[in-house]
């Protein structure tokens, strides 16, 4: 009889502990995925800051050759400032505006042979191309981390734990289709 009571006590503790263990495992999974997404975003952030640092030099170099393109220079410079100040989804939108304007500035070089031969412009162009490639790779890694995070937030039963502890779905960092269109720049 005493052994049966001890067995019942152990069984009761196991039944009560099992949901708690599941809760801890699901919660820690959410935290781990959130941290991976934050880490992936910080990788994008580093590359975006590198791009921000290149933009003033690029604009000034091109501006000297293409003085009548002032509106484009102002738009890209303003988008850069707004992206630096923005957070979350608004930042992604602003970075998209920067991404849209930079190819237009680079395309200006086609109409200015002296600019295409300028060493500073060539160096900036090479650095910008490298940074854009790194941003693209970091964006893919970030979006993969966000997909995994969102899966955890939206799939049952972890969606219950996510709702209770305030884990919310996050958005991908992507360039909208409007921003992907090819633009013609006339000089």
């Amino acid at each position: 009889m005493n052994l049966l009571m001890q067995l019942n006590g152990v069984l009761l503790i196991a039944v009560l502990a099992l949901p708690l263990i599941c809760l801890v495992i699901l919660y820690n999974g959410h935290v781990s995925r959130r941290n991976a997404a934050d880490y992936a975003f910080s990788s994008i952030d580093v590359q975006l800051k590198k791009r921000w640092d290149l933009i003033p030099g690029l604009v000034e170099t091109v501006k000297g050759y293409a003085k009548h393109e002032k509106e484009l220079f102002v738009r890209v410079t303003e988008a850069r400032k707004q992206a630096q100040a923005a957070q979350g989804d608004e930042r992604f939108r602003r970075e998209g505006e920067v991404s849209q304007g930079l190819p237009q500035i680079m395309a200006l070089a086609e109409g200015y042979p002296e600019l295409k031969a300028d060493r500073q412009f060539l160096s900036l162009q090479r650095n910008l191309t490298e940074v854009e490639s790194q941003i693209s790779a970091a964006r893919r890694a970030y979006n993969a981390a966000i997909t995994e995070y969102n899966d955890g937030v939206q799939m049952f039963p972890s969606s219950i734990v996510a709702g209770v502890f305030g884990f919310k779905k996050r958005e991908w960092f992507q360039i909208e289709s409007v921003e992907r269109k090819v633009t013609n720049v006339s000089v």
Side-chain angles (χ1 to χ4, degrees):
M1 186 68 142
N2 196 14
L3 182 61
L4 187 58
M5 285 178 53
Q6 286 179 349
L7 191 57
N8 283 341
V10 170
L11 186 59
L12 180 63
I13 290 172
V15 167
L16 293 176
L18 186 60
L20 182 60
I21 291 170
C22 289
L23 175 70
V24 168
I25 290 170
L26 291 172
Y27 177 81
N28 287 342
H30 286 299
V31 170
S32 177
R33 287 186 295 273
R34 180 187 61 200
N35 290 343
D38 291 344
Y39 176 77
F41 179 78
S42 70
S43 296
I44 291 175
D45 194 46
V46 166
Q47 300 308 320
L48 293 174
K49 287 176 181 174
K50 283 182 183 178
R51 180 170 74 177
W52 293 345
D53 292 343
L54 291 173
I55 290 172
L58 180 66
V59 167
E60 287 304 313
T61 301
V62 176
K63 194 187 287 186
Y65 290 94
K67 292 180 173 51
H68 65 282
E69 298 291 342
K70 184 175 181 172
E71 180 184 325
L72 173 61
F73 301 137
V74 169
R75 190 175 77 232
V76 170
T77 302
E78 186 60 29
R80 173 186 174 262
K81 286 180 192 172
Q82 291 174 350
Q84 286 176 311
Q87 297 291 321
D89 294 343
E90 175 67 13
R91 179 158 180 209
F92 292 158
R93 192 175 70 73
R94 296 295 182 185
E95 290 295 349
E97 292 172 6
V98 173
S99 294
Q100 182 182 12
L102 287 176
Q104 293 174 325
I105 290 176
M106 301 306 274
L108 285 174
E110 296 304 316
Y112 298 92
E114 314 86 39
L115 177 59
K116 284 173 59 173
D118 184 284
R119 285 199 319 224
Q120 182 178 0
F121 175 76
L122 292 173
S123 174
L124 287 166
Q125 184 179 37
R126 187 173 41 260
N127 289 339
L128 187 60
T129 300
E130 181 180 317
V131 168
E132 289 296 331
S133 176
Q134 292 169 348
I135 289 170
S136 179
R139 186 175 60 233
R140 284 190 303 274
Y142 174 77
N143 287 342
I146 290 300
T147 298
E148 188 172 336
Y149 172 83
N150 287 344
D151 286 349
V153 168
Q154 295 174 318
M155 291 180 163
F156 183 81
S158 68
S159 61
I160 295 169
V161 174
V164 169
F165 290 102
F167 292 93
K168 305 271 189 234
K169 181 179 184 266
R170 292 185 178 184
E171 296 299 318
W172 290 306
F173 181 17
Q174 57 190 358
I175 308 250
E176 298 298 323
S177 60
V178 173
E179 295 166 350
R180 289 185 183 149
K181 68 181 180 182
V182 176
T183 54
N184 294 324
V185 178
S186 58
V187 287

